[in-house]
């Protein structure tokens, strides 16, 4: 069983840590239906324990529709903020209109203090 306090998951999840009243989950690499499970577990565990969850997406190089679907599901469970998405994720959010639903910030610091 995965807990929000776990610091490492296989593959796509990096460091996870408490920050203020929230929890930060760092992801990296390519996020698609074949690689998404560890991130889904980490975000769900964090959403169960914290009212604010920040996804540090700075090192995410690719996200597909299954990744976007995961973000939208977590968005309904807690206050989810996406920090530092790269060009590909920003384009995905803009093309799908997800950037009008999800809270996207330029950095983790902005997401933690963010509006």
């Amino acid at each position: 069983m995965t807990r929000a306090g776990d610091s490492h998951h296989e593959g796509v999840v990096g460091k996870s840590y408490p920050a203020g009243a929230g929890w930060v989950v760092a992801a990296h690499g390519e996020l698609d239906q074949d690689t998404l499970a560890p991130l889904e577990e980490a975000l769900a565990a964090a959403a169960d324990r914290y009212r604010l969850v920040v996804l540090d997406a700075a090192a995410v190089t690719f996200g597909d529709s299954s990744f976007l679907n995961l973000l939208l599901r977590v968005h309904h469970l807690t206050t989810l903020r996406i920090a530092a998405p790269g060009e590909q994720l920003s384009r995905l959010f803009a093309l799908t209109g997800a950037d009008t639903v999800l809270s996207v910030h330029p950095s983790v610091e902005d997401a933690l203090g963010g509006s």
Side-chain angles (χ1 to χ4, degrees):
M1 173 168 254
T2 305
R3 297 183 331 251
D6 292 346
S7 63
H8 182 75
H9 298 272
E10 241 180 73
V12 298
V13 179
K15 186 176 180 185
S16 297
Y17 54 93
W23 189 262
V24 176
V25 176
H28 55 86
E30 296 186 4
L31 297 165
D32 59 31
Q33 68 180 5
D34 295 329
T35 62
L36 207 55
L39 180 60
E40 185 170 10
E41 291 174 20
L43 290 174
D48 282 346
R49 294 182 60 199
Y50 296 91
R51 290 182 39 202
L52 171 63
V53 176
V54 173
L55 174 63
D56 180 352
V60 174
T61 57
F62 174 81
D64 72 356
S65 60
S66 59
F67 171 65
L68 184 57
N69 188 21
L70 170 63
L71 297 182
L72 294 170
R73 287 194 316 266
V74 173
H75 167 74
H76 289 289
L77 299 174
T78 191
T79 300
L80 175 66
R81 296 181 182 159
I82 313 301
E87 184 179 326
Q88 190 272 331
L89 289 186
S90 295
R91 191 168 46 248
L92 174 68
F93 297 156
L95 288 172
T96 61
D99 59 351
T100 65
V101 176
L102 297 172
S103 180
V104 180
H105 301 267
S107 70
V108 171
E109 293 75 20
D110 288 329
L112 289 168
S115 49

